[in-house]
């Protein structure tokens, strides 16, 4: 008897974003994403190293229907990018996570600072000390809250994960530099699933590692390369309610999807179309409209991922993929088995 | 040092980033204006009207005041053939007065060469800012480029007054020309010694200066203060140049918040500068040119404006016959140039006017052609 | 291995690269001069040893090179182990140049610079074919506007005048206006695809397209040859010309050996060193236009080895060389744009040459503003004893003994900067200066400051303007 399991497939939904160097309805080198309980999306913009752009480094809050809700945070000038940087400013922002109360925690890997913003976008707290001791951090690159509102922080240059209370008090840590199980090389993104298990994008080891809530190694998958299940610098990881794992395979410009056990399912390379904000912008300028009409290979080229860097999923089976080099996110929907009944 | 305070002096103020002409000098009663600017429009009650059609942005009070005194010429519809929307290339065109091809000599560089052909005064032109704008560049023309007048010169990083004095002393000896070392070495010697001498002279300007005017804290305001100091010191400087940092006026977003503040800062500084000169009875010999590289798109993008063409510039001073020059470009949709204001006033006409009627120079060889001139100089 | 070998290696690395710290000079001298030349000539055998991974992680704008390409290019010149590859990229960028002020597409410019890195030491003929297909160039010099029956001469002219032959040589014109037109006709149909506009998601690289329908396939007569020439045929004829050999050789000489007259005067001004030019011309033909072979002959020649301090350093050489000397910017950190701005304000902005002629060189780099800027930039860097490269210099001088004489200090600093040489008068002035300061004990607390001040005085000299 042959059993065919319905394959997991994905349908492209839509694209959100456009390039907005300073602020407004768009992004500038978006690097991280999260959602709040009302399913509003928070995108953290890494922005530019070019001092002229202001505020450029910011958090943009918007709906899945591409309505801008608000933005908060701003950049600090490189010359002032030290411990004295004003509250609410960023130099090299990397990660964002929301606590149960809806406060946004933003990590900055240059300032080695976690900034906390309330729902109005006011910076209400900050913490973080450079170092390699317990509770000290060196280039934080990933943030995730567990069910108890404890913050798991990827401490990238110390090649470990540290767990803090949301006030920044050290609780525990795991990991060290290396290539063995439970060891890391400049880890980046982090995700905690419904069981409290922890997934880390072990960036320079080109693999994903999974741990239990106490940091005990559970499994790993992936190796360097371009084939199925291989990675070239994985940056972000997300797990949906069915345990399916999504990984942004940054330098391979693709998203890979895996079963809960790490078995490869499929690869997405991008389906982007013109977003609502993008259409609004293009329509302002007749030369852009004409240019797009005449452009050769536009549809094929524009759909591809460029620098997919972060991924998030919601309980409705939607997958949000952030592309740092294209100032947008692409949204996909996971398809369930198709019964195909009904009238003809 | 010869100094004749009545020699005409040109102060050029470069508003880098491309200010939005439409919201700088505003056609507030044009029925199309609110259509193009649903969120960015400046209402008739806010505009600093100069007549029933046009007026200044509300942040430009100090310039409006000078306009009312007949000291401001508004150069409407200013631009150049085949407008380009690149900040860099467009600035180049303004700097070299050559829209057709890329060249290296600046229009003011050539003017400086004509003012001081024998290089008798190493401070004929002084720039304040980071790096020398191409407008001032020409082979054989030496222009002092000053970032900070209070700390200008070579080897400013050497600490301790005695150490620095000694270092400069050795520097002067080491740059002394040596017989038989060749023309290149002589040139390097001369350049080094000029730089040293220029810095020496310039460093005395702040000491000689006292004024009741208090400038704002922005770099632009401080540079205008430095310009006042250099002018008042009587070094015989004829061309002074400064501006705002690249990108400053590049209001793609949040224009409603940024533009009032930018114009407020810039025009207060200009007002302070004028008051400062007046206090020292040195206002009559100074004319200012305020310009930007291009205009912005007529249709806003919802929060700001993108790169366009067709601009507005201003010439300010006692010697100026105030009023409107050039035509305000039509806002009729079919008269726009692919969504941009259609320029009608070649910027080189204004250059020619300033060079001939104000500086007393022959404009043709500097600009490479003859351009119709305005009569905005008294 | 003596001081002489290291001094020669310092010279080679200043010219074939952007300078090197003393330890690298010692190591390379230990390996041997000719061996080092070979290694530099073959970047493909070596990793450039750059950690682009971390570069792209921290400077995220480097991902896909859509923005911040000048900054990346500068970072690479500082950190690439394959120094000659970067130096040749800059060489060709200054000759076969395009300017971002017109092209406004860093992602396309980046592809061009990568091509120059890859092809910059191969066959000159291949390089000319590549640059003629380069999308940034096709747009920059309007070849995409040149059509069958309606030519735009811009590219055809500059290919002859600025990229290969030059207007004239030995007082005679190298080509006629008709040759320019015929050349332009041969390149009709060499164009670019309709590009994707920058709105709303940012720029895409432009791409080359050949449109046979728009190519003028009729007979042409170019430099005395007649045929139904296409672009490659024209390049083939160009490469056979003695004028091309002369033109390229003079550029090599100006860039690697000693300041030459500026390009516009080459028709009437003979080469400064005709023998060396002849040697390079011969190698050009012998090797079938192989750039690597010409460079090999050049670097191993006495003319090159004896030409120490015969060139005024360009701004990029000055800034990159200083940063390599002090050991700054070996890893990404905020504020890199300031470095790029520094070169620009000294008069050389990557990807923005002042005109299609590229940058004028030699004494034209120096005016009142750029001189002050240059001296202060270097002096501020060598005066900062927190830089690892300066600490190394202090350490090395201290390790020579418990005390150091004024002359020992001056000579030691000169040596560790790369065996610089001063005129007797200036040398004497600095020795006097060192004597006055009075500190001679190398373990004194003041010693590092003493050394850094001497370095500051040396880098302010006229001699240090040269490389």
């Amino acid at each position: 008897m042959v059993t065919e399991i319905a394959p997991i497939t994905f349908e492209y939904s839509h694209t959100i974003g456009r390039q907005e160097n300073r602020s407004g309805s768009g992004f500038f080198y978006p690097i991280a994403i999260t959602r709040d309980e009302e399913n509003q999306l928070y995108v953290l913009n890494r922005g530019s190293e070019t001092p002229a752009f202001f505020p450029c480094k910011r958090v943009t809050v918007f709906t899945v229907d591409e309505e801008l809700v608000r933005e908060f945070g701003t950049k600090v000038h490189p010359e002032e990018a030290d411990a004295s940087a004003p509250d609410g400013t960023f130099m090299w922002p990397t990660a964002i996570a929301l606590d149960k109360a809806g406060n946004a925690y933003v990590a900055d890997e240059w300032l080695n600072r976690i900034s906390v913003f309330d729902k109005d976008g006011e910076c209400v707290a900050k913490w973080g000390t450079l170092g390699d001791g317990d509770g000290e951090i060196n280039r934080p690159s990933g943030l995730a809250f567990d069910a108890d509102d404890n913050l798991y922080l990827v401490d990238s240059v110390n090649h470990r994960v540290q767990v803090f209370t949301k006030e920044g008090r050290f609780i525990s840590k795991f990991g060290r530099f290396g290539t063995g199980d439970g060891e890391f090389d400049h880890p980046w993104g982090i995700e905690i699933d419904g069981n409290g298990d922890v997934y880390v994008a072990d960036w320079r080891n080109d693999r994903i590692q999974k741990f239990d809530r106490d940091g005990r190694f559970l499994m790993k998958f992936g190796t360097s390369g371009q084939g199925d299940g291989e990675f070239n610098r994985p940056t972000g990881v997300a797990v949906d309610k069915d345990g399916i794992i999504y990984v942004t395979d940054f330098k391979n410009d693709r998203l890979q999807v895996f079963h809960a056990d790490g078995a490869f399912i499929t690869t997405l390379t991008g389906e982007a179309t013109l977003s609502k904000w993008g259409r609004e912008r293009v329509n302002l300028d007749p030369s852009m409209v004409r240019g797009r009409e005449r452009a050769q290979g536009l549809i094929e080229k524009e759909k591809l991922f460029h620098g997919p860097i972060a991924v998030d999923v919601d309980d409705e089976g939607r997958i949000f993929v952030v592309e740092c080099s294209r100032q947008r996110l692409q949204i996909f929907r996971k398809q369930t088995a198709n019964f195909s009944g009904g009238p003809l | 040092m010869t100094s004749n305070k009545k020699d005409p002096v040109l102060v050029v103020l470069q508003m880098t980033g491309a200010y939005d002409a439409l919201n700088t000098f505003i056609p507030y009663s044009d029925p199309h204006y609110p259509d193009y600017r649903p969120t960015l429009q400046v209402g008739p009650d806010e505009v600093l009207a100069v007549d029933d059609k046009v007026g200044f942005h509300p942040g430009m009070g100090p310039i409006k005041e000078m306009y009312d005194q007949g000291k401001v010429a508004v150069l409407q519809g200013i631009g150049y053939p085949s407008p380009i929307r690149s900040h860099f290339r467009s600035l180049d065109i303004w700097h070299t007065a050559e829209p057709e091809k890329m060249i290296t000599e600046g229009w003011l560089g050539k003017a400086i060469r004509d003012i001081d052909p024998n290089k008798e005064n190493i401070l004929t032109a002084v720039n304040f800012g980071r790096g020398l704008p191409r407008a001032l560049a020409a082979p054989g023309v030496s222009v002092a480029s000053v970032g900070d007048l209070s700390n200008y010169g070579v080897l400013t990083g050497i600490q301790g007054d005695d150490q620095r004095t000694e270092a400069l002393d050795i520097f002067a000896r080491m740059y002394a020309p040596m017989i038989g070392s060749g023309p290149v070495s002589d040139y390097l010697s001369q350049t080094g010694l000029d730089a040293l001498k220029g810095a020496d002279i310039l460093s005395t300007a702040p000491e000689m200066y006292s004024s009741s005017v208090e400038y704002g804290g922005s770099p632009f305001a401080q540079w205008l203060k430095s310009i006042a100091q250099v002018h008042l010191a009587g070094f015989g400087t004829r061309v002074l140049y400064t501006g705002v940092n690249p990108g400053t006026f590049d209001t793609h977003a949040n224009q409603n918040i940024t533009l009032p503040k930018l114009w407020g800062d810039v025009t207060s500084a200009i007002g302070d500068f004028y008051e400062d000169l007046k206090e020292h009875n040195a206002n009559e010999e100074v004319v200012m040119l305020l310009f930007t590289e291009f205009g912005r798109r007529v249709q806003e993008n919802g929060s700001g404006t993108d790169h366009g063409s067709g601009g507005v510039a201003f010439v300010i001073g006692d010697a100026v016959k105030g009023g409107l020059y050039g035509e305000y470009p039509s806002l009729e949709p079919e008269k726009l140039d692919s969504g941009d204001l259609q320029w009608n006033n070649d910027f080189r006409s204004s250059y020619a006017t300033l060079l001939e009627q104000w500086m007393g120079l022959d404009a043709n060889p500097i600009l490479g052609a003859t351009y119709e001139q305005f009569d905005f100089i008294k | 291995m003596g001081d002489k070998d290291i001094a020669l290696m310092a010279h080679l690395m200043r010219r074939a690269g952007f300078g090197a710290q003393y330890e690298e000079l010692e190591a390379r001298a230990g390996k041997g001069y000719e061996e080092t030349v070979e290694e530099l000539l073959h970047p493909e055998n070596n990793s450039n040893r750059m950690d682009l991974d971390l570069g792209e992680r921290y400077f995220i704008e480097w991902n896909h090179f859509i923005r911040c390409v000048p900054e990346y290019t500068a970072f690479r010149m500082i950190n690439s182990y394959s120094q000659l590859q970067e130096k040749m990229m800059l060489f060709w960028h200054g000759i076969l140049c395009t300017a971002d002020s017109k092209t406004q597409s860093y992602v396309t410019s980046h592809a061009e610079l990568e091509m120059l890195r890859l092809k910059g030491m191969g066959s000159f003929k291949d390089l000319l074919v590549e640059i003629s297909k380069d999308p940034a160039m096709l747009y920059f010099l309007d070849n995409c506007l040149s059509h069958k029956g309606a030519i735009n001469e811009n590219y055809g002219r500059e290919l002859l005048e600025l990229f290969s032959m030059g207007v004239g040589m030995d007082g005679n014109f190298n080509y006629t206006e008709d040759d320019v037109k015929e050349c332009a006709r041969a390149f009709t149909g060499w164009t670019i695809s309709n590009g994707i506009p920058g709105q709303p998601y940012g720029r895409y690289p432009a791409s080359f397209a050949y449109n046979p329908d728009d190519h003028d396939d009729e007979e042409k007569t170019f430099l005395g040859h007649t045929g139904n020439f296409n672009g490659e045929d024209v390049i083939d004829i160009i490469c056979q010309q003695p004028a091309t050999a002369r033109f390229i050789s003079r550029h090599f000489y100006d860039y690697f050996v000693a300041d030459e007259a500026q390009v516009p005067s080459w028709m009437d001004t003979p080469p400064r060193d005709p023998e060396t030019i002849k040697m390079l011309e011969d190698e050009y033909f012998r090797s079938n236009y192989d750039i690597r072979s010409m460079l090999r002959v050049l670097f191993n020649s006495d003319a090159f080895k004896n030409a120490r301090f015969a060139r005024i350093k360009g701004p990029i050489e000055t800034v990159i060389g200083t940063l390599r000397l002090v050991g700054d910017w070996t890893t990404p950190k905020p504020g890199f744009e300031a470095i790029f701005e520094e070169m620009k304000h000294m008069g050389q902005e990557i990807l923005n040459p002042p005109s299609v002629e590229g940058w004028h060189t030699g004494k034209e780099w120096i005016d009142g503003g750029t001189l002050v800027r240059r001296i202060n930039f270097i002096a501020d860097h060598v005066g900062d004893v927190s830089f690892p490269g300066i600490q190394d210099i202090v350490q090395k001088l201290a390790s020579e003994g418990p005390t150091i004489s004024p002359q020992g200090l001056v000579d030691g600093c000169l040596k560790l900067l790369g065996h610089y040489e001063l005129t007797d008068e200036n040398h004497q002035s600095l020795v006097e200066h060192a004597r006055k300061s009075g500190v001679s004990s190398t373990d004194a607390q003041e010693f590092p400051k003493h050394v850094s001040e001497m370095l500051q005085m040396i880098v302010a000299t006229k001699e240090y303007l040269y490389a």
Side-chain angles (χ1 to χ4, degrees), chain C residues 256-408:
Chain C
F256 289 111
V257 185
D259 285 327
E260 257 279 19
Q262 296 299 295
V263 178
S265 66
W266 283 1
M267 176 166 154
D268 298 310
T269 311
R272 171 177 169 162
D273 175 358
E275 255 177 63
T276 302
I277 296 297
K278 176 81 172 43
M279 174 188 80
L280 291 169
E281 289 169 356
D282 290 349
E283 184 61 19
Y284 170 83
F285 286 115
R286 192 205 63 79
S287 68
N288 201 17
Y289 327 135
D290 185 45
I291 299 160
R292 184 177 281 107
S293 300
M294 293 174 76
L295 289 172
R296 181 181 293 114
V297 163
L298 180 71
F299 292 136
N300 288 321
S301 72
D302 288 342
F304 171 77
K305 292 178 185 171
N306 294 332
R308 290 172 61 199
F309 309 113
R311 279 185 73 243
I312 294 176
K313 283 186 278 234
I316 291 177
E317 290 173 307
T318 299
V319 171
I320 303 292
T322 302
L323 297 174
R324 283 174 60 80
L325 175 75
V326 304
D328 196 10
W329 289 106
T330 52
T331 54
K333 60 182 180 179
F336 194 64
E337 179 165 289
I339 295 305
F340 165 64
E341 291 276 305
E342 197 63 47
M343 305 171 187
K344 175 168 144 186
H345 294 142
M346 281 185 212
Q348 193 179 24
E349 182 182 0
I350 298 169
L351 283 174
N352 261 330
S355 80
V356 63
E357 259 184 50
W359 293 278
H360 281 196
T361 57
K363 81 189 234 295
E364 293 195 34
W365 290 123
I366 307 292
D367 62 37
T370 59
L371 180 71
V372 171
R373 192 105 203 172
R374 176 188 288 229
I375 290 173
N376 286 349
F377 175 81
I378 314 173
D380 288 351
H381 278 79
V382 300
D384 185 342
V385 292
S386 69
F387 283 122
I390 302 305
Q391 284 172 4
D392 282 352
I393 290 177
V394 171
Q395 210 55 51
K396 281 204 170 65
L397 290 172
S399 70
E400 305 219 329
T403 61
I404 193 165
S405 69
Q407 168 137 7

Side-chain angles (χ1 to χ4, degrees), chain B residues 103-286:
Chain B
I103 61 167
T104 53
E105 295 191 18
W107 72 289
L108 291 170
K110 293 180 209 169
I112 296 158
R113 196 159 53 198
D114 286 358
I115 294 169
D116 184 17
N118 300 322
K119 294 190 248 180
E120 284 159 13
N121 185 355
I122 50 177
L123 295 178
T124 298
V126 181
N127 172 60
F128 288 91
R130 294 166 61 191
L132 194 68
R134 192 168 291 168
L136 293 165
V141 169
S142 197
V143 176
S145 188
V146 182
D148 174 3
L149 191 57
S150 65
N151 183 27
Y152 173 66
V154 284
L155 294 171
T156 46
I158 291 188
Q159 276 152 22
D161 285 350
D162 291 350
Q163 281 90 332
R164 177 129 194 275
T165 307
E166 158 128 0
L168 292 183
D169 196 42
I170 297 171
F171 182 87
R173 251 182 292 149
M174 293 196 303
Y175 273 75
M178 282 188 308
I179 295 161
S181 57
V184 174
S185 180
D186 287 348
Y187 169 79
L188 297 177
S189 288
Q190 195 56 47
T191 309
L193 294 177
D194 281 356
L196 205 57
K197 196 165 127 203
D200 257 5
I201 300 168
L202 280 172
S203 69
T204 62
E207 296 159 20
M208 290 190 260
Y209 169 85
S210 92
S211 172
S212 68
V213 174
E214 289 213 13
Y215 288 82
S218 73
F220 177 72
Q222 290 299 311
W223 279 325
L224 268 179
K225 181 181 176 182
S226 297
I227 286 181
Q229 291 175 335
V230 169
H231 176 60
L232 296 173
F235 299 144
T237 303
R238 303 283 303 282
V239 177
L240 292 131
Y241 202 106
T242 193
V244 296
N245 286 329
T248 299
F249 273 93
D250 203 10
T251 50
H252 288 279
N254 295 335
Q255 183 172 314
N256 271 345
I257 300 162
T258 50
L259 195 63
K261 183 169 164 17
L262 288 170
W263 276 130
D265 286 352
V266 165
T267 58
S268 311
I270 291 171
D272 288 342
F273 174 65
Y274 180 75
E275 285 308 312
D276 198 4
L277 298 184
K278 206 164 166 188
E279 177 176 324
H280 295 87
N281 194 25
N283 45 318
E284 288 177 1
E285 65 267 30
V286 174

Side-chain angles (χ1 to χ4, degrees), chain A residues 36-110:
Chain A
D36 68 11
E37 286 176 341
E38 298 151 37
N39 230 355
Q40 294 187 126
L41 298 163
Y42 290 58
V43 162
L44 175 62
N45 295 278
R46 175 79 162 205
S48 173
E49 297 296 302
T50 310
F53 295 114
F54 185 89
C56 97
K57 298 167 191 266
R58 63 193 188 261
V59 176
T60 310
V61 186
F62 54 98
T63 67
V64 178
D65 301 325
E66 211 168 357
E67 294 295 332
L68 182 67
V69 176
R70 64 179 182 278
E71 52 191 354
F72 56 87
T74 188
K75 71 165 188 177
V76 63
H77 194 279
E79 284 162 20
E80 290 151 16
D82 53 33
S84 69
D87 288 359
T89 59
F90 310 131
M91 183 63 225
W92 281 358
T94 49
I96 182 166
L98 302 179
D99 67 12
K100 284 210 170 69
N103 297 304
Y105 290 65
V106 179
D108 187 307
E109 64 182 334
W110 181 257

